Amino acid sequence: MRKRLALAHLPTPIQRPKRLADAMGVDLYVKRDDMTAGPEAGNKIRKLEYLLAAAREEGADCVITCGGLQSNHARATALLSAGLGLRAVLYLRTADVAAGAPFEGNALLDRLAGAEVRLISPEAYRDREAVMAEAAAEIRAAGGRPYVIPEGGSNGLGALGYVRAMEEIRKQLDLGLAGGKPFDVIVHASSSGGTAAGTALGAARYGVAGEVRAMAVSDDRATLARVALQLMDDARALEPHLGAPAHLVVDDSARGPAYAVATPEQRQRIVQVARLSGLLLDPVYTGKAFAGLWDLAERGELAGKRVLFLHTGGLPGLLAQGASFADSM
């Protein structure tokens, strides 16, 4: 087994939001991975347990990663790195580099953690791997020991975080929680593919679900499916005991007009979910994914199925877009 740091508060609970489930007509459960920690919470911490362990093992004193301006992954990396005594360098994508990073949401937390924020245009971000490799070379030349973490923590090693999450769910089911039997489908938001890859591999390995539906929030279905399949191969190369994955369906029907831009209907769903269950979803990831799940329910595609929604966090991103909800209340 690969080394990992115990950074998350585990196991996270599986809850059944009855009023919400009844409103949707779905046998719905929610895996609360928005509760993996405090301000660093969300799905990224499970990946970072492995990635930061590797950084420590290599003797790194600095980590370099990237994401959008309000990246949950960058925020989690910054906060966890601070606790471990590692310098964090974050390349954050924004259409207006000259405007600087705002003092709100994840961008505020990045600064509070002492991360070095380097804003980058969407055009330059397309070559993010080369950009981070160049930064690592500069840091090494100055005597530092950098470790590069890919976007979203999504590589074969990071994907193992969600293989382990499925093992955790299996143990919860074995205790009789959440009905004590496997789910028919797991639904979650997906952007960089690591959570989808690990969940599909782990769901099959531990008999948690026969299907994983990754709701794309950024790239189209074909692109995300290709990335997830490659990450599964990379994870299996690290852990040869992992076999064939659960059936992975990549669904891009709810990705909205652009990354981090939700439709008015999706924002309304976020409000409905909060008022029916107290669950807080964000307009970047979980809100879009849950809106897509609700659409599936309305079409009758989830009738008679046990459904687990994987809540991957994202609260700071919701708070950063508060003004956009003015017409949804």
Side-chain angles (χ1 to χ4, degrees), residues 30-63:
V30 180
K31 176 65 169 171
R32 295 293 304 273
D33 267 12
D34 58 322
M35 298 171 67
T36 49
E40 65 274 41
N43 63 321
K44 305 304 183 183
I45 191 171
R46 288 190 187 267
K47 303 176 184 181
L48 288 165
E49 286 192 325
Y50 286 91
L51 294 164
L52 291 174
R56 289 275 292 266
E57 193 171 14
E58 291 186 12
D61 59 10
C62 170
V63 293

Side-chain angles (χ1 to χ4, degrees), residues 62-260:
C62 170
V63 293
I64 305 169
T65 196
C66 63
L69 185 60
Q70 290 290 345
S71 168
N72 295 313
H73 163 67
R75 174 256 302 163
T77 302
L79 290 166
L80 293 170
S81 294
L84 295 170
L86 297 171
R87 174 188 171 201
V89 177
L90 312 177
Y91 282 91
L92 303 183
R93 181 185 67 250
T94 176
D96 190 356
V97 173
F103 286 87
E104 62 184 15
N106 286 311
L108 170 62
L109 300 182
D110 296 338
R111 293 176 185 228
L112 288 174
E116 179 182 343
V117 174
R118 301 181 181 182
L119 299 182
I120 184 171
S121 70
E123 294 74 23
Y125 193 81
R126 295 191 186 101
D127 296 320
R128 54 192 174 275
E129 292 182 4
V131 169
M132 291 193 294
E134 182 178 349
E138 291 174 356
I139 290 170
R140 277 191 293 270
R145 299 183 303 279
Y147 182 87
V148 177
I149 296 175
E151 180 184 51
S154 291
N155 58 13
L157 182 61
L160 296 181
Y162 268 88
V163 173
R164 188 170 184 273
M166 295 303 106
E167 180 183 17
E168 177 180 299
I169 293 173
R170 177 73 264 170
K171 292 177 180 177
Q172 291 174 307
L173 294 176
D174 289 345
L175 290 171
L177 303 177
K181 58 183 179 180
F183 298 96
D184 294 294
V185 59
I186 299 173
V187 180
H188 67 88
S190 186
S191 177
S192 55
T195 299
T199 299
L201 288 170
R205 174 71 177 81
Y206 296 104
V208 172
E211 178 181 315
V212 174
R213 184 172 289 258
M215 304 299 295
V217 301
S218 177
D219 291 324
D220 60 48
R221 179 175 55 195
T223 300
L224 182 56
R226 184 173 63 252
V227 169
L229 288 172
Q230 181 60 58
L231 292 175
M232 282 189 240
D233 287 342
D234 294 344
R236 279 192 294 252
L238 295 173
E239 297 289 351
H241 68 280
L242 295 173
H247 179 49
L248 176 63
V249 177
V250 177
D251 185 334
D252 62 4
S253 63
R255 65 178 177 144
Y259 174 72

Side-chain angles (χ1 to χ4, degrees), residues 256-275:
Y259 174 72
V261 180
T263 65
E265 294 78 15
Q266 288 170 338
R267 289 194 294 273
Q268 187 59 50
R269 287 298 194 203
I270 291 171
V271 174
Q272 284 180 283
V273 170
R275 292 179 178 180

